[in-house]
Each structure stands twice: as structure tokens, then as C-alpha cells.
Amino acid sequence: EPVALVGSPLGALCDKLSQELVYGPGERDLVVLHHRFRITWTSSTASKSVEERDITMVQYGEPNGNSAMATTVGLTTAVAARLILSGGIRHRGVLLPLTSDIYSPILKELAVHNIKANIRSKWEH
């Protein structure tokens, strides 16, 4: 079947995919994030411990409602923006959420909305 040219080849692809990739009645999406970190911890006594930490989040969209992608991305962004505007996060500019003063209040509020990750650690000594 011919594909309509909508401005550019990319526009045509987007138009075609928006027609083909529509949820059916009652369908929903799924977001799965899984991160594995291998951390070498050293102490003042020069002994080493190695932690393998798995962080997993699974979020389902609502049938006939918000997608999991919209919820996890949109709500996280909204929470961060509100915390910056209210002074809960004092840093300014483009930020990476790598320090607990940034990520802890965001994760705490996301948990209220049932968006949370499971953390599992395995240690080698």
C-alpha cells in the first residue's frame, strides 16, 4: 500500500507508524528498567568489598488511560520541576540526578504515586 509523503521521508514514516501502532481496546504499554552496577568499595583498612546491585522498575500503563511511558517520564519531570520551583531542589541549570539531595525527594514523591524500583544487592568479600 502506498505511503503518503508528509513533508519529508521522516514525516511519512511518522504518519504511517501513527496509523499502524495504535493501541487496541484495553491494550496498555509496559516500561521495564533494569540497571546492574558492580561497585568496588574500599575501606580505610585497605580491604575491598564488591557489591553487585540490581535496580529494577516495572510500570504498566492504564488500559484506555495514560501510558506507562507518559506516567514515568511526565510525572518524574513534573515532580522535579515542582521541587525546583518550591525550593526543594536548590541547584539550577541542567542537572544530573546523581546526588541524594536531588534524587531522594523525587524518588520519595514518585513512590507516593506507586512508581518505585526494587533494589537487590549481592556482596563478594
Side-chain angles (χ1 to χ4, degrees):
E1 127 185 13
V3 175
L5 183 59
V6 182
S8 69
L10 180 58
L13 176 64
C14 291
D15 184 62
K16 182 67 173 169
L17 290 178
S18 70
Q19 295 169 28
E20 298 291 328
L21 300 177
V22 176
Y23 292 122
E27 286 186 331
R28 60 186 180 166
D29 70 334
L30 167 69
V31 171
V32 178
L33 295 177
H34 180 80
H35 300 282
R36 176 169 284 160
F37 300 95
R38 189 169 173 83
I39 306 162
T40 302
W41 299 97
T42 57
S43 68
S44 58
T45 61
S47 63
K48 287 185 182 178
S49 294
V50 177
E51 176 187 7
E52 187 170 276
R53 185 180 299 176
D54 288 323
I55 304 171
T56 305
M57 181 198 74
V58 177
Q59 187 74 28
Y60 290 92
E62 296 294 323
N64 305 313
N66 288 331
S67 69
M69 183 62 78
T71 300
T72 55
V73 173
L75 189 56
T76 303
T77 304
V79 167
R82 189 188 53 72
L83 286 167
I84 290 169
L85 292 172
S86 69
I89 295 175
R90 297 188 126 349
H91 302 280
R92 295 294 181 259
V94 178
L95 305 172
L96 293 174
L98 300 178
T99 58
S100 63
D101 62 322
I102 296 174
Y103 66 74
S104 288
I106 295 171
L107 292 175
K108 183 177 177 182
E109 187 163 339
L110 289 174
V112 170
H113 297 281
N114 206 29
I115 298 175
K116 40 191 154 182
N118 295 313
I119 302 170
R120 191 182 78 226
S121 290
K122 183 171 61 174
W123 290 88
E124 301 170 12
H125 297 281

